[in-house]
Amino acid sequence: MADAKIFEQSLYPYQRHPDQDAAAPVRHPVIVVGAGPVGLTTAIDLGLQGVPVVVLDDNDRVSTGSRAICFAKRPLEIFDRLGCGQVMVDKGVVWNTGRVFMGERQVYEFNLLPEGGHRRPAFINLQQYHLEQMLLDRLRELQAEGAPIQLRGKSRVSAIGQHDDHATVEIDTPEGSYDLEADWLIACDGAGSPTRKMLGLDFVGRVFEDNFLIADVTMQADFPTERWFWFDPPFNPGQSALLHKQPDGVWRIDLQLGWDIDKEVEKRPENVIPRIRAMLGEDVAFDLEWVSVYTFQCRRMERFRRNRVIFAGDSAHQVSPFGARGANSGIQDADNLCWKLKLVLEGSAPEALLDSYDAERVHGAEENILNSTRSTDFITPKSEISRIFRDAALHLSERHAFARPFVNSGRLSVPCTYDGSALNTSDAMPEAPARSRPGSPCPDAPLADGFLLDRLGGRFTILAVGVEGEAVGMADLLSVPATGEMAERYASGIYLIRPDQHIAARWPAFDADMIRAALSRATGNTP
Amino acid sequence: MSLNLQPNLKCPDDAYALLLEAHEGLTKAESDALNARLILVLLNHVGDMEVLREAIEAARG
Ligand SMILES: Cc1cc2nc3c(=O)[nH]c(=O)nc-3n(C[C@H](O)[C@H](O)[C@H](O)COP(=O)(O)OP(=O)(O)OC[C@H]3O[C@@H](n4cnc5c(N)ncnc54)[C@H](O)[C@@H]3O)c2cc1C
């Protein structure tokens, strides 16, 4: 393990491109800044749909150290649509049990109890560098099949210009700089987004005055595949701690350190190792793979679209990691954006469709920030009274079921429903299950030959559940019987499904005119 | 349902004494912890956000 860390390898080394020798800046339909999980997902999605895309990254490797480890069901479903979900699930660790400790005692344990009849589990644990590597593999595979994706390493965006109908970028490379133009620029350049800074845009929110030591260690110990969370443990008094398993015998350890510390000193192995030894026990042998100290924040941009520049992922919103909502929500940004951009580029939708990206993903970011903020407030109470209530909830949770839902060590990431989105057509089946109302992500369900979600996405679909239907305009038809989970999760009727597998409209029976109107609305053609 | 701000206990003196007895002999920190647990228990028993909002308003004075 230690001899060949994947995040120390050059995976897409710099190569000179003819654009660098062009007499005038070359124009591309889409340029993506940043090849993190969100930039790579965006590039794959656009490339699959035949939209030419150039990805620029200032280095040529995957994320240093693991960072994100929990990937939720919804992003896995998106990766299935993009053709790389299975490798992730094969490699990832599936877990269901979580234990919560206070002091020396376990106060309770929970089971995620995932509902049956879904292709994907609630969560997998997988190192961010593995996930990025798998996205890179998929990108290479698509390139080999002729998808119009370019990935340029060691290409740092150093200046941005905004124009009415395009953006310009200046790119620094080991061989000097050059300029490009883009009809659309997607900034996936992370929480410190140079694009955002160069455009002088806001990024407001809350800093949590606390520090966390995040360490990945390899060990052969047989701790179970569970998530263990401690409040006020004996090995880290007054603070919190987390232990979670990743593939390859790697374990994630989070230790809350408090506010008044010296980050550089805390990161030194001679200080980290005794802390971990106190946690794992004297006789457990381990190696440090990666250590970092973080201060967490919850903040977002006011708007994710500024004319021709669109922000996605951490550049647009940042959350504390409790609840694993960072990468998970950024991948949903890409999922939401790419089909819209494709329709706009090919002229089937007006530019205004992209404002729905802003509205829908700001809504998602708000929900994520709310949840992450509440978790962080519970884990790191910042006033005497909030600590008193926190401890009271923990204390009661040991004996009383009612108190357990108060205990908040992270509310795990679930996709948001785009209630009230301008793309939705009002619900014509208000008595049908709420989970498949307009705006919802399609709940998965088993079909006779596989799973529903594998048959949806990438295009508009008319899903006819137990009733007659027909293809209309750009929407294909998928007919399935209204039995079993399909009946429970959908009820019989006609559902109009967006390319990102969200539901745009539903009716008890087929009516081509209504579908045409709903399609027009869902593509921004009818305001 | 809305918050009842009219007398609702058969024997208010007993209820009040019960509350004080529960705190007898406790340090300030122990009392604060007991109060917090008690509030959470009652919060759950009430089980209605609207009533809780009204109760907090009433308590704020
Ligand atoms: C300790 C920790 C634990 C976490 N745990 C989870 C978790 O369990 N689940 C989860 O979903 N999320 C988690 N997150 C959050 C997750 O890591 C981020 O949300 C995710 O990396 C965001 O992806 P991104 O692609 O938006 O940005 P990044 O991953 O930050 O990628 C940005 C990319 O842009 C490139 N770039 C930057 N500037 C330029 C420039 N000028 N020119 C060209 N390229 C540039 C960078 O090189 C980088 O490759 C965690 C984060 C931390 C720190």
Side-chain angles (χ1 to χ4, degrees), chain A residues 187 189-191 193 196 202-203 299-304 311-318 333 357 365 369:
Chain A
D189 48 357
S193 176
R196 196 185 58 226
D202 57 87
F203 200 43
R299 49 187 182 163
R300 70 168 174 90
M301 295 182 73
E302 195 191 334
R303 285 184 289 133
F304 297 172
F311 293 83
D314 276 16
S315 69
H317 46 75
Q318 194 183 6
D333 291 347
Y357 164 76
I369 287 173

Side-chain angles (χ1 to χ4, degrees), chain A residues 70-123:
Chain A
C70 281
F71 291 90
K73 178 169 176 287
R74 182 61 200 147
L76 294 174
E77 293 167 349
I78 294 168
F79 291 134
D80 280 337
R81 180 172 68 72
L82 301 180
C84 51
Q86 192 58 46
V87 276
M88 296 169 182
V89 175
D90 287 345
K91 174 83 183 174
V93 170
V94 177
W95 60 277
N96 286 315
T97 303
R99 292 178 197 277
V100 176
F101 301 86
M102 186 185 185
E104 309 209 14
R105 299 190 320 277
Q106 174 178 325
V107 284
Y108 76 97
E109 71 174 84
F110 61 86
N111 189 320
L112 291 178
L113 276 184
E115 182 184 61
H118 293 260
R119 180 168 179 206
R120 294 305 177 202
F123 269 93

Side-chain angles (χ1 to χ4, degrees), chain A residues 1 73 90 135 143 159 167-168 178 181 206 252-253 308 310 369 398 404 426-427 455 458 488 521:
Chain A
M1 193 71 228
K73 178 169 176 287
D90 287 345
L135 289 171
Q143 282 177 324
T168 53
Y178 67 108
E181 293 180 356
R206 205 173 134 195
R252 164 61 52 86
I253 292 171
R308 293 296 173 128
I310 298 170
I369 287 173
E398 190 173 358
R404 288 170 202 159
S426 68
D427 193 359
R455 310 278 299 276
E488 267 163 41
R521 178 176 298 276

Side-chain angles (χ1 to χ4, degrees), chain A residues 427-434 437 506 508:
Chain A
D427 193 359
M429 294 167 69
E431 66 304 326
R437 68 186 182 278
R506 61 179 180 180

Side-chain angles (χ1 to χ4, degrees), chain A residues 388-389 392-393 395-396 402 406, chain B residues 32-33 36-37 39-41 43-44:
Chain A
I388 289 171
F389 275 117
H395 191 115
L396 289 165
F402 90 82
F406 286 132
Chain B
D32 286 346
R37 292 198 295 272
I39 288 170
L40 293 181
V41 167
L43 205 72
N44 180 66

Side-chain angles (χ1 to χ4, degrees), chain B residues 5 19 42 46 59:
Chain B
L5 289 171
L19 189 61
L42 296 175
V46 170

